[in-house]
Amino acid sequence: MGTLEALSPGAVVLVGGGPGDAGLMTVAGRAAVEQADVLLVDHLAPAGALEWAAPGAEIVDVSKMPRGPFTPQERINELLITHARAGRRVVRLKGGDGFVFGRGMEEVIACTEAGVPVRVVPGVSSAIAVPALAGVPVTHRGLVQGFSVISGHVPPGHPQSSLDYAALAASGTTLVVLMGVANLAAITEALLVHGMDATTPAAVVARGGHPDQEVVQAPLRDIARAAGAVRPPAVTVIGEVARWASEAFEEEA
Ligand code: SAH
């Protein structure tokens, strides 16, 4: 079954929308948006993509839904299922890739358990695309042979953190931190404590691909302070490749 296959009434398609610029949606993602009867949209999904929706399509901004008796995710699952059971073609539009810190699998499982057919259109994840939009490759031949993508949502040492910062510090891979703005000082401190070189280049790229994209570059030991005023969403890149971070990348290209 190809990703360009027509949407079926009564089915759900989870579409990864890329980091926010509609130009970074996939062709299959756009085709799904064009055919949808109802779109359930996250706040980090590309707003420009909604212009492709059919004139009669219903657009639900699920990030603005009031909290009811259910947690928001349960409510979203319920909406997906209700709309699909009403025979609509349902598109769930998310930022980046739905399976990278996107709760995509929770929605796949909910649909499957409800007997609602569901398929996935992968998206361009901000983990790779946002560094690239600031001129930073997550790998580079001769320099780094891998990258590790982590969530900074909970700080190191927090009971809910399952990340091994000693291993990350010693991994030799580029580190890409999502949802890490608030905890950046604690994250960089943990890496330094575990022996990462304090002069390792680092960069914070906020609102990548948006007209107000912002890039802050500093050595690891200074990056949290330098990026103190940055507004999320932002991706932090730590590693030799971050030396190429540049505000003016697109203009120079
Ligand atoms: N599924 C998404 C990630 C969801 S978690 C993906 O694959 O991209 C949300 C985090 O993604 C944000 O906190 C931020 O770290 C990152 N992010 C998403 N869009 C971004 C953007 N346009 N610019 C910078 N960071 C972004």
Side-chain angles (χ1 to χ4, degrees), residues 2 4 10 13 21 32 54 60 73 90 104 127-128 131 140 144 182-183 188 190 193 229 234-235 240 244 251:
L4 282 170
V13 185
D21 173 342
V60 184
Q73 186 60 51
V90 185
I128 298 171
H140 186 73
V144 60
N183 291 321
T188 55
V193 162
V235 169
E240 286 304 321
W244 282 301
E251 282 81 358

PDB file of all heavy atoms in Angstrom, residues 2 4 10 13 21 32 54 60 73 90 104 127-128 131 140 144 182-183 188 190 193 229 234-235 240 244 251:
ATOM      1  N   GLY A   2       0.767   2.042  -1.026  1.00  0.00           N
ATOM      2  CA  GLY A   2       1.620   3.234  -1.155  1.00  0.00           C
ATOM      3  C   GLY A   2       1.075   4.401  -0.363  1.00  0.00           C
ATOM      4  O   GLY A   2      -0.126   4.467  -0.085  1.00  0.00           O
ATOM      5  N   LEU A   4       0.670   7.311  -1.387  1.00  0.00           N
ATOM      6  CA  LEU A   4      -0.134   8.227  -2.207  1.00  0.00           C
ATOM      7  C   LEU A   4      -1.538   7.680  -2.488  1.00  0.00           C
ATOM      8  O   LEU A   4      -2.323   8.321  -3.165  1.00  0.00           O
ATOM      9  CB  LEU A   4       0.584   8.519  -3.525  1.00  0.00           C
ATOM     10  CG  LEU A   4       1.724   9.534  -3.409  1.00  0.00           C
ATOM     11  CD1 LEU A   4       2.534   9.584  -4.690  1.00  0.00           C
ATOM     12  CD2 LEU A   4       1.187  10.918  -3.065  1.00  0.00           C
ATOM     13  N   GLY A  10     -13.805   6.722   6.681  1.00  0.00           N
ATOM     14  CA  GLY A  10     -13.787   5.898   7.884  1.00  0.00           C
ATOM     15  C   GLY A  10     -12.399   5.501   8.335  1.00  0.00           C
ATOM     16  O   GLY A  10     -12.263   4.683   9.254  1.00  0.00           O
ATOM     17  N   VAL A  13      -5.423   8.875   8.789  1.00  0.00           N
ATOM     18  CA  VAL A  13      -4.032   8.948   8.332  1.00  0.00           C
ATOM     19  C   VAL A  13      -3.284   9.894   9.258  1.00  0.00           C
ATOM     20  O   VAL A  13      -3.683  11.043   9.449  1.00  0.00           O
ATOM     21  CB  VAL A  13      -3.918   9.467   6.880  1.00  0.00           C
ATOM     22  CG1 VAL A  13      -2.463   9.413   6.422  1.00  0.00           C
ATOM     23  CG2 VAL A  13      -4.794   8.662   5.949  1.00  0.00           C
ATOM     24  N   ASP A  21       7.508  24.828   8.202  1.00  0.00           N
ATOM     25  CA  ASP A  21       7.418  25.435   6.881  1.00  0.00           C
ATOM     26  C   ASP A  21       6.656  24.441   5.998  1.00  0.00           C
ATOM     27  O   ASP A  21       7.082  23.295   5.846  1.00  0.00           O
ATOM     28  CB  ASP A  21       8.856  25.664   6.386  1.00  0.00           C
ATOM     29  CG  ASP A  21       8.935  26.137   4.946  1.00  0.00           C
ATOM     30  OD1 ASP A  21       7.959  25.987   4.194  1.00  0.00           O
ATOM     31  OD2 ASP A  21       9.998  26.655   4.567  1.00  0.00           O
ATOM     32  N   ALA A  32      -2.813  13.840   1.367  1.00  0.00           N
ATOM     33  CA  ALA A  32      -3.744  13.453   2.433  1.00  0.00           C
ATOM     34  C   ALA A  32      -4.514  14.674   2.933  1.00  0.00           C
ATOM     35  O   ALA A  32      -5.737  14.614   3.126  1.00  0.00           O
ATOM     36  CB  ALA A  32      -2.979  12.782   3.572  1.00  0.00           C
ATOM     37  N   ALA A  54      -9.556  20.955   1.638  1.00  0.00           N
ATOM     38  CA  ALA A  54     -10.736  21.224   0.804  1.00  0.00           C
ATOM     39  C   ALA A  54     -11.590  22.292   1.477  1.00  0.00           C
ATOM     40  O   ALA A  54     -11.591  22.404   2.708  1.00  0.00           O
ATOM     41  CB  ALA A  54     -11.524  19.932   0.624  1.00  0.00           C
ATOM     42  N   VAL A  60      -9.815  21.118  13.181  1.00  0.00           N
ATOM     43  CA  VAL A  60      -9.888  21.177  14.641  1.00  0.00           C
ATOM     44  C   VAL A  60      -8.479  21.382  15.193  1.00  0.00           C
ATOM     45  O   VAL A  60      -7.588  20.563  14.950  1.00  0.00           O
ATOM     46  CB  VAL A  60     -10.468  19.859  15.225  1.00  0.00           C
ATOM     47  CG1 VAL A  60     -10.632  19.962  16.738  1.00  0.00           C
ATOM     48  CG2 VAL A  60     -11.779  19.493  14.550  1.00  0.00           C
ATOM     49  N   GLN A  73      -4.692  13.744  25.487  1.00  0.00           N
ATOM     50  CA  GLN A  73      -4.384  12.682  24.524  1.00  0.00           C
ATOM     51  C   GLN A  73      -5.553  11.702  24.393  1.00  0.00           C
ATOM     52  O   GLN A  73      -5.895  11.281  23.284  1.00  0.00           O
ATOM     53  CB  GLN A  73      -3.107  11.934  24.913  1.00  0.00           C
ATOM     54  CG  GLN A  73      -2.662  10.905  23.875  1.00  0.00           C
ATOM     55  CD  GLN A  73      -2.371  11.528  22.512  1.00  0.00           C
ATOM     56  OE1 GLN A  73      -1.626  12.501  22.417  1.00  0.00           O
ATOM     57  NE2 GLN A  73      -2.980  11.013  21.448  1.00  0.00           N
ATOM     58  N   VAL A  90     -10.132  11.066   7.878  1.00  0.00           N
ATOM     59  CA  VAL A  90      -9.555  11.809   8.992  1.00  0.00           C
ATOM     60  C   VAL A  90      -8.047  11.946   8.808  1.00  0.00           C
ATOM     61  O   VAL A  90      -7.350  10.944   8.636  1.00  0.00           O
ATOM     62  CB  VAL A  90      -9.844  11.097  10.339  1.00  0.00           C
ATOM     63  CG1 VAL A  90      -9.332  11.939  11.508  1.00  0.00           C
ATOM     64  CG2 VAL A  90     -11.333  10.801  10.489  1.00  0.00           C
ATOM     65  N   GLY A 104       2.666   9.438  18.267  1.00  0.00           N
ATOM     66  CA  GLY A 104       2.006   8.837  17.108  1.00  0.00           C
ATOM     67  C   GLY A 104       1.537   7.414  17.375  1.00  0.00           C
ATOM     68  O   GLY A 104       0.423   7.039  16.997  1.00  0.00           O
ATOM     69  N   ALA A 127      14.366  17.056  14.401  1.00  0.00           N
ATOM     70  CA  ALA A 127      15.649  16.597  14.951  1.00  0.00           C
ATOM     71  C   ALA A 127      16.758  16.696  13.912  1.00  0.00           C
ATOM     72  O   ALA A 127      17.911  16.969  14.248  1.00  0.00           O
ATOM     73  CB  ALA A 127      15.524  15.160  15.443  1.00  0.00           C
ATOM     74  N   ILE A 128      16.419  16.482  12.652  1.00  0.00           N
ATOM     75  CA  ILE A 128      17.394  16.560  11.569  1.00  0.00           C
ATOM     76  C   ILE A 128      17.239  17.866  10.797  1.00  0.00           C
ATOM     77  O   ILE A 128      18.216  18.519  10.449  1.00  0.00           O
ATOM     78  CB  ILE A 128      17.223  15.354  10.615  1.00  0.00           C
ATOM     79  CG1 ILE A 128      17.488  14.047  11.381  1.00  0.00           C
ATOM     80  CG2 ILE A 128      18.153  15.465   9.420  1.00  0.00           C
ATOM     81  CD1 ILE A 128      17.134  12.802  10.605  1.00  0.00           C
ATOM     82  N   PRO A 131      18.410  21.569  12.692  1.00  0.00           N
ATOM     83  CA  PRO A 131      19.842  21.836  12.558  1.00  0.00           C
ATOM     84  C   PRO A 131      20.217  22.179  11.109  1.00  0.00           C
ATOM     85  O   PRO A 131      20.955  23.145  10.861  1.00  0.00           O
ATOM     86  CB  PRO A 131      20.492  20.522  13.009  1.00  0.00           C
ATOM     87  CG  PRO A 131      19.499  19.927  13.960  1.00  0.00           C
ATOM     88  CD  PRO A 131      18.141  20.306  13.403  1.00  0.00           C
ATOM     89  N   HIS A 140      28.885  14.141   9.705  1.00  0.00           N
ATOM     90  CA  HIS A 140      29.795  14.658   8.672  1.00  0.00           C
ATOM     91  C   HIS A 140      30.962  13.683   8.565  1.00  0.00           C
ATOM     92  O   HIS A 140      31.600  13.368   9.572  1.00  0.00           O
ATOM     93  CB  HIS A 140      30.291  16.066   9.044  1.00  0.00           C
ATOM     94  CG  HIS A 140      31.108  16.711   7.962  1.00  0.00           C
ATOM     95  ND1 HIS A 140      30.548  17.185   6.804  1.00  0.00           N
ATOM     96  CD2 HIS A 140      32.441  16.927   7.850  1.00  0.00           C
ATOM     97  CE1 HIS A 140      31.506  17.700   6.028  1.00  0.00           C
ATOM     98  NE2 HIS A 140      32.668  17.544   6.634  1.00  0.00           N
ATOM     99  N   VAL A 144      32.020  12.921  12.518  1.00  0.00           N
ATOM    100  CA  VAL A 144      31.119  12.257  13.465  1.00  0.00           C
ATOM    101  C   VAL A 144      30.272  11.221  12.738  1.00  0.00           C
ATOM    102  O   VAL A 144      29.737  11.472  11.654  1.00  0.00           O
ATOM    103  CB  VAL A 144      30.256  13.288  14.237  1.00  0.00           C
ATOM    104  CG1 VAL A 144      29.389  14.109  13.313  1.00  0.00           C
ATOM    105  CG2 VAL A 144      29.412  12.616  15.312  1.00  0.00           C
ATOM    106  N   ALA A 182      14.027  24.693  28.570  1.00  0.00           N
ATOM    107  CA  ALA A 182      13.897  24.988  30.000  1.00  0.00           C
ATOM    108  C   ALA A 182      14.971  24.281  30.827  1.00  0.00           C
ATOM    109  O   ALA A 182      15.424  24.806  31.852  1.00  0.00           O
ATOM    110  CB  ALA A 182      12.505  24.597  30.494  1.00  0.00           C
ATOM    111  N   ASN A 183      15.392  23.094  30.381  1.00  0.00           N
ATOM    112  CA  ASN A 183      16.350  22.309  31.167  1.00  0.00           C
ATOM    113  C   ASN A 183      17.768  22.352  30.607  1.00  0.00           C
ATOM    114  O   ASN A 183      18.612  21.526  30.987  1.00  0.00           O
ATOM    115  CB  ASN A 183      15.887  20.844  31.244  1.00  0.00           C
ATOM    116  CG  ASN A 183      14.629  20.712  32.091  1.00  0.00           C
ATOM    117  OD1 ASN A 183      14.501  21.375  33.115  1.00  0.00           O
ATOM    118  ND2 ASN A 183      13.703  19.870  31.658  1.00  0.00           N
ATOM    119  N   THR A 188      23.400  20.538  30.051  1.00  0.00           N
ATOM    120  CA  THR A 188      24.817  20.792  29.738  1.00  0.00           C
ATOM    121  C   THR A 188      25.686  20.487  30.959  1.00  0.00           C
ATOM    122  O   THR A 188      26.778  19.930  30.831  1.00  0.00           O
ATOM    123  CB  THR A 188      25.041  22.243  29.252  1.00  0.00           C
ATOM    124  OG1 THR A 188      24.524  23.158  30.214  1.00  0.00           O
ATOM    125  CG2 THR A 188      24.347  22.492  27.926  1.00  0.00           C
ATOM    126  N   ALA A 190      25.163  18.197  33.232  1.00  0.00           N
ATOM    127  CA  ALA A 190      25.318  16.734  33.332  1.00  0.00           C
ATOM    128  C   ALA A 190      26.360  16.234  32.336  1.00  0.00           C
ATOM    129  O   ALA A 190      27.174  15.353  32.661  1.00  0.00           O
ATOM    130  CB  ALA A 190      23.975  16.047  33.083  1.00  0.00           C
ATOM    131  N   VAL A 193      29.827  17.288  33.688  1.00  0.00           N
ATOM    132  CA  VAL A 193      30.180  16.459  34.846  1.00  0.00           C
ATOM    133  C   VAL A 193      30.671  15.086  34.380  1.00  0.00           C
ATOM    134  O   VAL A 193      31.584  14.506  34.968  1.00  0.00           O
ATOM    135  CB  VAL A 193      28.958  16.324  35.793  1.00  0.00           C
ATOM    136  CG1 VAL A 193      29.117  15.151  36.759  1.00  0.00           C
ATOM    137  CG2 VAL A 193      28.744  17.621  36.561  1.00  0.00           C
ATOM    138  N   ALA A 229      17.534  33.590  26.731  1.00  0.00           N
ATOM    139  CA  ALA A 229      16.333  34.335  26.362  1.00  0.00           C
ATOM    140  C   ALA A 229      15.576  33.711  25.188  1.00  0.00           C
ATOM    141  O   ALA A 229      14.578  34.256  24.732  1.00  0.00           O
ATOM    142  CB  ALA A 229      16.711  35.777  26.018  1.00  0.00           C
ATOM    143  N   ALA A 234      12.643  24.940  20.255  1.00  0.00           N
ATOM    144  CA  ALA A 234      14.033  25.031  19.810  1.00  0.00           C
ATOM    145  C   ALA A 234      14.690  23.652  19.879  1.00  0.00           C
ATOM    146  O   ALA A 234      14.335  22.820  20.708  1.00  0.00           O
ATOM    147  CB  ALA A 234      14.803  26.012  20.687  1.00  0.00           C
ATOM    148  N   VAL A 235      15.654  23.468  18.995  1.00  0.00           N
ATOM    149  CA  VAL A 235      16.468  22.259  18.978  1.00  0.00           C
ATOM    150  C   VAL A 235      17.887  22.678  19.363  1.00  0.00           C
ATOM    151  O   VAL A 235      18.394  23.676  18.858  1.00  0.00           O
ATOM    152  CB  VAL A 235      16.457  21.621  17.568  1.00  0.00           C
ATOM    153  CG1 VAL A 235      17.506  20.526  17.449  1.00  0.00           C
ATOM    154  CG2 VAL A 235      15.078  21.071  17.241  1.00  0.00           C
ATOM    155  N   GLU A 240      30.900  18.672  17.309  1.00  0.00           N
ATOM    156  CA  GLU A 240      31.768  19.434  16.399  1.00  0.00           C
ATOM    157  C   GLU A 240      30.990  20.055  15.240  1.00  0.00           C
ATOM    158  O   GLU A 240      31.318  21.147  14.778  1.00  0.00           O
ATOM    159  CB  GLU A 240      32.895  18.539  15.873  1.00  0.00           C
ATOM    160  CG  GLU A 240      33.980  18.244  16.911  1.00  0.00           C
ATOM    161  CD  GLU A 240      34.596  19.512  17.505  1.00  0.00           C
ATOM    162  OE1 GLU A 240      34.807  20.486  16.746  1.00  0.00           O
ATOM    163  OE2 GLU A 240      34.852  19.534  18.721  1.00  0.00           O
ATOM    164  N   TRP A 244      29.273  24.898  12.521  1.00  0.00           N
ATOM    165  CA  TRP A 244      28.780  25.487  11.271  1.00  0.00           C
ATOM    166  C   TRP A 244      27.472  26.264  11.464  1.00  0.00           C
ATOM    167  O   TRP A 244      26.920  26.781  10.492  1.00  0.00           O
ATOM    168  CB  TRP A 244      28.564  24.397  10.218  1.00  0.00           C
ATOM    169  CG  TRP A 244      29.834  23.932   9.577  1.00  0.00           C
ATOM    170  CD1 TRP A 244      30.722  24.706   8.877  1.00  0.00           C
ATOM    171  CD2 TRP A 244      30.355  22.607   9.549  1.00  0.00           C
ATOM    172  NE1 TRP A 244      31.760  23.934   8.421  1.00  0.00           N
ATOM    173  CE2 TRP A 244      31.568  22.642   8.816  1.00  0.00           C
ATOM    174  CE3 TRP A 244      29.927  21.382  10.068  1.00  0.00           C
ATOM    175  CZ2 TRP A 244      32.347  21.505   8.585  1.00  0.00           C
ATOM    176  CZ3 TRP A 244      30.696  20.263   9.841  1.00  0.00           C
ATOM    177  CH2 TRP A 244      31.896  20.315   9.121  1.00  0.00           C
ATOM    178  N   GLU A 251      20.292  32.649   3.338  1.00  0.00           N
ATOM    179  CA  GLU A 251      20.669  33.767   2.447  1.00  0.00           C
ATOM    180  C   GLU A 251      21.994  33.485   1.738  1.00  0.00           C
ATOM    181  O   GLU A 251      22.175  33.830   0.593  1.00  0.00           O
ATOM    182  CB  GLU A 251      20.790  35.073   3.248  1.00  0.00           C
ATOM    183  CG  GLU A 251      19.461  35.732   3.580  1.00  0.00           C
ATOM    184  CD  GLU A 251      18.793  35.082   4.784  1.00  0.00           C
ATOM    185  OE1 GLU A 251      19.317  34.094   5.347  1.00  0.00           O
ATOM    186  OE2 GLU A 251      17.741  35.578   5.176  1.00  0.00           O
TER     187      GLU A 251
END
